[in-house]
Amino acid sequence: MEKNGNNRKLRVCVATCNRADYSKLAPIMFGIKMEPEFFELDVVVLGSHLIDDYGNTYRMIEQDDFDINTRLHTIVRGEDEAAMVESVGLALVKLPDVLNRLKPDIMIVHGDRFDALALATSAALMNIRILHIEGGEVSGTIDDSIRHAITKLAHYHVCCTRSAEQHLISMCEDHDRILLAGCPSYDKLLSAKNKDYMSIIRMWLGDDVKSKDYIVALQHPVTTDIKHSIKMFELTLDALISFNKRTLVLFPNIDAGSKEMVRVMRKKGIEHHPNFRAVKHVPFDQFIQLVAHAGCMIGNSSCGVREVGAFGTPVINLGTRQIGRETGENVLHVRDADTQDKILQALHLQFGKQYPCSKIYGDGNAVPRILKFLKSIDLQEPLQKKFCFPPVKENISQDIDHILETLSALAVDLGGTNLRVAIVSMKGEIVKKYTQFNPKTYEERINLILQMCVEAAAEAVKLNCRILGVGIGGGIIHQHELIHGSSFCAAELGHLVVSLDGPDCSCGSHGCIEAYASGMALQREAKKLHDEDLLLVEGMSVPKDEVVGAVHLIQAAKLGNAKAQSILRTAGTALGLGVVNVLHTINPSLVILSGVLASHYIHIVKDVIRQQALSSVQDVDVVVSDLADPALLGAASMVLDYTTRRIC
């Protein structure tokens, strides 16, 4: 099992309500099914899947060889606002028995449909963790409100775009519980276009239809303005009749107003018109091929602005139902689709074009990311959600534990000879310091660092110190504040590359400053010299039980060892070149070198600046820190600065 704290399989319930959400959930379901050693899958089917008028689409789930654990008839017919509310209520009545029987560890809910709101509400009230797919997106109807309501109920989030991720963060969701994975349907979309498609086109549109010479139309009611959306659908059909191209029209979804839209289709004789094929449902695999090779898609379905962009097919997006969606350049918006002529003009502009393929919503690798995310869920973590609210005026009430606690950080210093961990208070005081000899292998070092941090954190509780985080690294200060970077790894100065063919670095690269000038790098060079009997000079000795390190190299250089002096000069030059790069990039007014090696490097660094830097930056002050433990204090400041900006 992955490191999720669980000692058994994760029981996952996937609930699907309609043909649209199944196209997103099916790739995840296949992925879960392929890893039975990690997961148990229960499938619950409800909503329009089970209605004949909407194609009995539960059959495609069975055709995909999924065992449907439960079928719930939850739709109250009427296709109006009251029927939608009653359908949510009916689902809420039926779902508790199902969830009590299945007892899932986590329920996967997709999107923004009213059925999904019932699922999320039931699971949340029954203390079942919820993973919400496609949260954070913006469209333009009541779907927005439902989507965001589900976000507030969900414990984990899988989003498709960077903007959606930022929206979730803005909604105070925990960044650690948000996965930017891309849309699961893109995993299938981006591998689908090379399949035999002409047979599919002929099956749905007739033997005489050619690729790029037909239209796919899919339009749904807008529940916040049903009357206008029905009128817009009527104008769309009139425009399509006038445009005189073979057209595949899919029936609308089950939202309020859909019954009236079907009446409009029948009033205009669409089901019997020679240019039209009206269908309730097309299997997703075939639908992909149809939109990929269409001359145009028209309507207001999210599929038009999301999935179709993967093929560069022209899209005409009508009305406001998708007004907030991110789109590629293949989408032409007709927001005020209030005349037949306006829609007809859009058809003339778009039909038959080919646009660049867009990957706004995914790169085809969403499912592996989602499965890895699922495996990382720790069922031992508290179920109660925590919201990451922005700073507000501090509450005047107080907590005695917080009053007595000392806000602190764990600082880590990876030295050449020793590893050091310290508890550092907000005032810059080292409360307690831990030192261990640096092991030989990378794995041993990492394990030892983790062990030391755990021990220090446990000791911090006894010392009444509240640890805000762990800090490692150098820093850049701009306008009196540390620069953290977009992913909190700014100022990795040790990994500036100063030579393309330099020595191997622990980061996996070559020629980093750290590979030349760190304590571990000097220790490596000292051992090489010692093994070749080239380190010791007159006046030096190394006891047999003592490990050769950087201190011996420095001692040898001071005593006139030319090879040791050359190594230190090369190391100082590498550091100097890195400093020059920093000077040319951000033009600081002060460079502070810290650590036991700083005093040995400073003159070489200054020489390199004089020789290599632009004249405009050569006046920078370069000094050696006079702090007792600058590496530990600097590492702690990375944490204390960032966290207190958000607390104070």
Side-chain angles (χ1 to χ4, degrees):
M1 297 291 287
E2 298 280 330
K3 293 181 180 179
N4 58 4
N6 310 325
N7 54 11
R8 59 178 176 80
K9 297 178 183 179
L10 192 70
R11 189 157 192 175
V12 181
C13 176
V14 177
T16 172
C17 312
N18 53 67
R19 66 192 182 196
D21 77 16
Y22 182 66
S23 69
K24 317 293 178 66
L25 293 170
I28 303 172
M29 293 162 65
F30 280 115
I32 291 172
K33 190 175 180 181
M34 290 294 289
E35 299 197 28
E37 69 275 21
F38 291 107
F39 304 109
E40 291 181 15
L41 175 64
D42 292 315
V43 180
V44 174
V45 173
L46 64 159
S48 61
H49 273 310
L50 302 170
I51 298 179
D52 181 64
D53 285 353
Y54 294 89
N56 282 326
T57 50
Y58 72 89
R59 293 188 184 122
M60 65 183 177
I61 304 173
E62 293 178 331
Q63 290 167 2
D64 284 339
D65 201 27
F66 288 112
D67 294 327
I68 298 176
N69 184 279
T70 304
R71 293 175 172 84
L72 285 181
H73 292 272
T74 57
I75 296 297
V76 176
R77 301 305 300 272
E79 285 78 19
D80 58 14
E81 295 95 328
M84 290 169 65
V85 177
E86 291 167 357
S87 297
V88 171
L90 183 58
L92 288 172
V93 169
K94 292 186 174 185
L95 280 167
D97 286 342
V98 174
L99 297 180
N100 267 329
R101 174 168 50 84
L102 297 179
K103 292 182 169 53
D105 296 315
I106 189 162
M107 173 175 278
I108 299 181
V109 178
H110 170 271
D112 49 29
R113 309 292 301 138
F114 58 85
D115 326 65
L117 180 60
L119 287 165
T121 302
S122 301
L125 291 174
M126 296 183 72
N127 290 325
I128 297 169
R129 297 167 194 268
I130 302 165
L131 176 70
H132 184 209
I133 310 291
E134 290 187 11
E137 296 186 16
V138 178
S139 50
T141 67
I142 189 64
D143 294 353
D144 272 346
S145 299
I146 294 175
R147 187 185 310 111
H148 301 332
I150 296 173
T151 289
K152 291 293 100 184
L153 293 169
H155 303 82
Y156 308 95
H157 312 273
V158 172
C159 55
C160 301
T161 69
R162 184 70 65 185
S163 293
E165 179 186 40
Q166 292 304 313
H167 293 158
L168 290 172
I169 294 170
S170 298
M171 292 165 67
C172 305
E173 295 300 313
D174 185 348
H175 199 174
D176 290 339
R177 295 192 170 194
I178 300 171
L179 172 67
L180 175 56
C183 182
S185 64
Y186 265 62
D187 289 24
K188 183 174 288 188
L189 290 175
L190 296 179
S191 61
K193 197 169 181 180
N194 293 328
K195 296 180 180 177
D196 175 31
Y197 57 88
M198 283 309 302
S199 60
I200 296 172
I201 293 173
R202 294 188 187 105
M203 178 173 65
W204 291 99
L205 287 144
D207 292 338
D208 57 336
V209 177
K210 298 178 181 178
S211 175
K212 300 296 181 183
D213 198 36
Y214 61 90
I215 297 169
V216 175
L218 178 53
Q219 200 157 329
H220 303 301
V222 178
T223 55
T224 50
D225 194 351
I226 295 173
K227 186 176 180 181
H228 176 70
S229 63
I230 294 168
K231 178 63 177 175
M232 184 170 62
F233 185 52
E234 187 172 2
L235 294 172
T236 302
L237 294 177
D238 288 339
L240 288 168
I241 292 169
S242 298
F243 196 65
N244 198 30
K245 286 289 182 181
R246 191 67 56 86
T247 302
L248 180 71
V249 180
L250 279 83
F251 277 58
N253 64 21
I254 202 167
D255 281 352
S258 60
K259 186 183 292 184
E260 288 82 354
M261 292 180 72
V262 173
R263 288 197 188 106
V264 169
M265 288 174 60
R266 289 175 176 157
K267 177 183 173 183
K268 293 186 177 295
I270 295 300
E271 290 171 291
H272 306 290
H273 195 288
N275 260 357
F276 288 84
R277 300 290 186 272
V279 298
K280 295 175 180 176
H281 167 66
V282 178
F284 186 65
D285 285 350
Q286 298 176 28
F287 183 73
I288 289 173
Q289 302 301 327
L290 291 169
V291 296
H293 298 92
C296 180
M297 182 174 181
I298 188 170
N300 63 3
S301 168
S302 63
C303 170
V305 298
R306 291 171 55 95
E307 282 82 0
V308 178
F311 308 113
T313 301
V315 171
I316 299 169
N317 180 48
L318 301 173
T320 60
R321 190 170 184 267
Q322 307 297 339
I323 196 169
R325 295 274 190 194
E326 298 173 69
T327 66
E329 59 180 288
N330 65 311
V331 178
L332 174 63
H333 296 282
V334 185
R335 291 185 173 86
D336 297 319
D338 50 4
T339 67
Q340 175 186 334
D341 183 65
K342 193 179 291 185
I343 299 171
L344 194 58
Q345 289 297 322
L347 284 166
H348 283 292
L349 286 170
Q350 285 286 79
F351 186 80
K353 286 186 176 180
Q354 180 61 46
Y355 289 92
C357 298
S358 167
K359 293 186 179 179
I360 293 174
Y361 286 94
D363 61 2
N365 296 298
V367 172
R369 296 182 185 119
I370 293 170
L371 296 182
K372 184 177 180 181
F373 190 56
L374 280 170
K375 293 173 189 175
S376 73
I377 292 174
D378 186 354
L379 299 180
Q380 306 306 314
E381 286 184 349
L383 183 68
Q384 177 61 49
K385 281 186 68 170
K386 291 183 179 180
F387 297 102
C388 301
F389 295 107
V392 294
K393 185 177 179 181
E394 200 168 312
N395 197 317
I396 59 172
S397 63
Q398 300 182 62
D399 186 305
I400 186 63
D401 290 334
H402 286 179
I403 293 172
L404 298 177
E405 280 180 335
T406 301
L407 296 181
S408 307
L410 289 186
V412 179
D413 177 26
L414 310 176
T417 305
N418 295 314
L419 297 178
R420 299 191 300 160
V421 172
I423 303 170
V424 182
S425 74
M426 186 68 71
K427 295 180 180 178
E429 298 171 347
I430 295 180
V431 180
K432 189 161 185 179
K433 184 162 54 178
Y434 307 79
T435 303
Q436 292 278 1
F437 174 71
N438 198 343
K440 294 181 180 180
T441 68
Y442 172 80
E443 290 76 13
E444 289 175 327
R445 288 187 207 115
I446 294 299
N447 289 333
L448 181 56
I449 290 169
L450 291 173
Q451 178 186 330
M452 293 172 71
C453 286
V454 169
E455 291 176 1
E459 185 71 15
V461 175
K462 300 176 184 177
L463 296 171
N464 208 29
C465 293
R466 179 150 62 106
I467 301 300
L468 301 176
V470 180
I472 300 172
I476 297 173
I477 299 173
H478 176 63
Q479 294 184 348
H480 306 291
E481 291 191 352
L482 274 170
I483 295 175
H484 294 279
S486 61
S487 58
F488 309 103
C489 64
E492 282 288 352
L493 305 176
H495 296 291
L496 290 175
V497 176
V498 293
S499 174
L500 295 178
D501 57 355
D504 293 343
C505 181
S506 60
C507 71
S509 186
H510 306 275
C512 299
I513 294 174
E514 190 169 295
Y516 285 103
S518 67
M520 292 179 66
L522 296 187
Q523 182 184 37
R524 179 191 67 225
E525 296 301 319
K527 288 177 69 177
K528 284 182 183 178
L529 290 182
H530 188 60
D531 291 343
E532 297 170 4
D533 292 328
L534 298 174
L535 177 66
L536 302 182
V537 294
E538 187 176 349
M540 274 188 72
S541 64
V542 178
K544 290 183 179 180
D545 59 346
E546 186 174 328
V547 177
V548 174
V551 64
H552 301 105
L553 188 75
I554 294 169
Q555 184 183 5
K558 287 181 177 178
L559 293 173
N561 186 320
K563 290 188 177 296
Q565 291 170 347
S566 176
I567 291 169
L568 284 177
R569 190 160 44 252
T570 300
T573 301
L575 179 58
L577 290 173
V579 171
V580 168
N581 288 333
V582 173
L583 298 180
H584 289 169
T585 304
I586 59 173
N587 190 20
S589 60
L590 177 66
V591 175
I592 303 174
L593 305 181
S594 65
V596 295
L597 297 171
S599 60
H600 302 285
Y601 288 149
I602 186 166
H603 298 297
I604 303 173
V605 169
K606 288 182 176 181
D607 287 341
V608 174
I609 291 173
R610 280 193 295 270
Q611 296 166 13
Q612 301 287 340
L614 295 172
S615 59
S616 56
V617 299
Q618 288 188 7
D619 291 336
V620 66
D621 287 334
V622 182
V623 300
V624 174
S625 171
D626 57 3
L627 294 172
D629 282 293
L632 290 171
L633 295 176
S637 69
M638 301 288 285
V639 174
L640 298 173
D641 171 80
Y642 178 76
T643 54
T644 53
R645 274 196 234 171
R646 285 147 182 78
I647 293 174
C648 300

